[in-house]
Amino acid sequence: MVLRFGIEFVPAEKTLDVAYYSKLAENEGFDNVWVTDHFTNRSVFVSLTQVALYTSKIIIGTGVTNYYHINPAVIASSIATIAEISGGRTILGLGAGDKITLANLGIERKKPLTGMRESIDIIRRLWNDETVEYNGDVFKLPKAKLHFKVKHKPLIYMAAQGPKMSQLAAEMADGVLINASHPRDYEQAKVNFKIGMEKRDPKRRKFDVCAYCSFSIHDKPEKAQNAAKIVVAFIVGGSIPPILERHGIPLEQAKNIEGFLKQGKFKKAIDAVTPEMLDAFCIAGTPKDCIEKIEVLQSTGCTQLVCGSPLGPNITKAIKQIGKTVIPEFMSKW
Ligand code: F42
């Protein structure tokens, strides 16, 4: 089966740079651009607006925004505006938000699962031109209505790693973005998708399973791996014990890395990343290494591979290399 390719950009970069990379990705055969959202970076919606104006066919989306730092009604109107600008090429990627980033805003991530269910409900109803009077556990909207018609209703993809979030994604969303790079994580996710699928409306479109991987490509494997180490350090430092145990990563090694990161000792954190951690939490190596790992992910049922940060030691070269050497391997042979 054909595998779609997505790419993640982080608006720590200027909006014009994100737009330039997105256009390059479009030209190199990528299907989707996902732009991350943290208040510390440039605005995801402004970045996506610029991406929409610079591209013509690639699907663009938040990868991902969240309903704690933006009210779902504001998410509904913002992403519908981008859908309008892009001519319907837009997906809403929605997550519970990064716990540590939200804590810096004094926002406690209360009832994330309930918040997700309610947000999706509110957003879809607003797009359907309803006046929403909502009295949920997390959201209370006395009277919300959009004063413009949403012609292009975006698909909604959920970020999910946890068992209940994964089940909810299969029940309610059009797709899921799983922040993981190892087949073990996808085998586990499948168990939860099956549970969620039982409650899914059969009229809803086919469920898109996106492997949102830390990805790094270079002809010299050690260069690719070195570029990925800081990202992997953050993943290891932020992972909960069951995930570390699933991949056989000793908890004390992870605690060690977490400590270095908290103190801003990034070089020490990078040096503490082991080959086992790289294997568990990223796809990094030569084009051949990357293709082999992607093939295994595809065999677990993934329908889209999202190439996430760092992409490689050089972003422009990495986008071109993925487009020329990796994507063609997964295009239909007939
Ligand atoms: N976060 C960002 O802030 N910005 C990004 O750009 C971003 C990108 C991104 C891309 C892909 C991806 O997969 C994740 C990404 N994230 C990003 C992280 C994302 O926002 C979420 O933090 C992450 O996906 C959440 O992962 P999770 O599936 O582990 O969900 C957490 C919140 C969780 O606790 N899940 C539990 C579970 O089992 O799935 C649910 C717990 C539960 O049931 N809670 C009950 C409820 O009602 O919510 C209440 C329990 C109680 O008593 O309070």
Side-chain angles (χ1 to χ4, degrees):
M1 208 173 72
V2 181
L3 183 72
R4 292 169 69 84
F5 278 80
I7 191 158
E8 174 202 71
F9 296 119
V10 180
E13 309 269 356
K14 288 182 179 159
T15 57
L16 197 56
D17 291 338
V18 173
Y20 165 77
Y21 291 140
S22 300
K23 184 67 193 168
L24 188 59
E26 178 176 88
N27 291 342
E28 290 294 343
F30 283 87
D31 304 284
N32 292 69
V33 163
W34 300 96
V35 179
T36 63
D37 184 15
H38 299 90
F39 82 92
T40 44
N41 291 333
R42 292 173 177 83
S43 155
V44 65
F45 296 110
V46 178
S47 301
L48 281 173
T49 303
Q50 188 134 24
V51 172
L53 296 171
Y54 271 71
T55 54
S56 55
K57 56 179 200 282
I58 201 162
I59 310 290
I60 64 175
T62 47
V64 298
T65 190
N66 75 79
Y67 40 85
Y68 286 108
H69 76 174
I70 310 179
N71 184 286
V74 182
I75 294 177
S77 77
S78 306
I79 205 82
T81 310
I82 292 165
E84 196 171 79
I85 295 169
S86 67
R89 291 184 287 124
T90 302
I91 293 182
L92 168 61
L94 192 62
D98 176 60
K99 204 174 171 180
I100 298 167
T101 312
L102 289 172
N104 290 335
L105 299 178
I107 299 172
E108 195 190 330
R109 211 174 53 173
K110 276 191 204 145
K111 295 200 170 181
L113 193 73
T114 312
M116 178 65 89
R117 184 182 281 284
E118 292 183 5
S119 297
I120 293 181
D121 189 23
I122 290 166
I123 291 166
R124 284 194 175 135
R125 285 171 61 184
L126 287 169
W127 288 342
N128 279 338
D129 207 21
E130 282 184 45
T131 300
V132 179
E133 292 170 14
Y134 209 85
N135 190 19
D137 282 340
V138 177
F139 293 106
K140 301 197 190 304
L141 279 61
K143 211 179 186 114
K145 174 149 178 51
L146 299 184
H147 290 173
F148 65 100
K149 296 267 179 294
V150 181
K151 187 173 155 208
H152 304 289
K153 295 187 183 80
L155 298 175
I156 300 182
Y157 281 35
M158 266 177 62
Q161 275 74 238
K164 289 192 181 151
M165 211 53 107
S166 304
Q167 290 166 26
L168 187 67
E171 179 191 333
M172 286 189 93
D174 300 297
V176 66
L177 300 163
I178 310 174
N179 220 183
S181 308
H182 199 282
R184 270 194 290 267
D185 298 307
Y186 293 89
E187 292 300 344
Q188 185 59 44
K190 260 163 58 175
V191 175
N192 292 306
F193 294 155
K194 196 158 176 277
I195 297 169
M197 281 294 172
E198 281 159 22
K199 294 192 205 156
R200 187 177 180 85
D201 180 348
K203 289 202 286 292
R204 197 161 283 297
R205 80 191 278 282
K206 209 166 164 283
F207 188 55
D208 191 9
V209 179
C210 308
Y212 203 106
C213 304
S214 167
F215 192 95
S216 184
I217 194 165
H218 195 276
D219 287 332
K220 295 203 168 87
E222 60 287 357
K223 282 205 170 185
Q225 287 164 3
N226 286 342
K229 278 184 180 171
I230 186 64
V231 179
V232 170
F234 272 98
I235 298 173
V236 171
S239 287
I240 52 174
I243 304 280
L244 297 165
E245 281 157 13
R246 185 186 295 162
H247 295 290
I249 309 288
L251 298 189
E252 61 277 16
Q253 285 185 7
K255 276 245 154 298
N256 207 14
I257 289 183
E258 189 186 351
F260 288 140
L261 292 174
K262 281 188 175 156
Q263 295 164 50
K265 295 181 178 167
F266 298 125
K267 167 87 175 62
K268 288 209 158 172
I270 288 168
D271 290 344
V273 169
T274 63
E276 292 73 27
M277 292 173 189
L278 284 169
D279 179 57
F281 296 117
C282 74
I283 293 180
T286 63
K288 185 169 171 286
D289 298 333
C290 295
I291 289 164
E292 279 169 13
K293 274 194 122 176
I294 297 169
E295 278 171 348
V296 181
L297 287 186
Q298 190 184 20
S299 72
T300 68
C302 292
T303 45
Q304 181 176 154
L305 190 283
V306 182
C307 300
S309 307
L311 300 177
N314 177 292
I315 296 182
T316 302
K317 281 188 186 159
I319 297 170
K320 289 182 182 171
Q321 191 161 32
I322 299 166
K324 305 245 173 335
T325 62
V326 178
I327 294 178
E329 289 295 314
F330 295 89
M331 287 161 85
S332 175
K333 305 283 186 225
W334 40 68

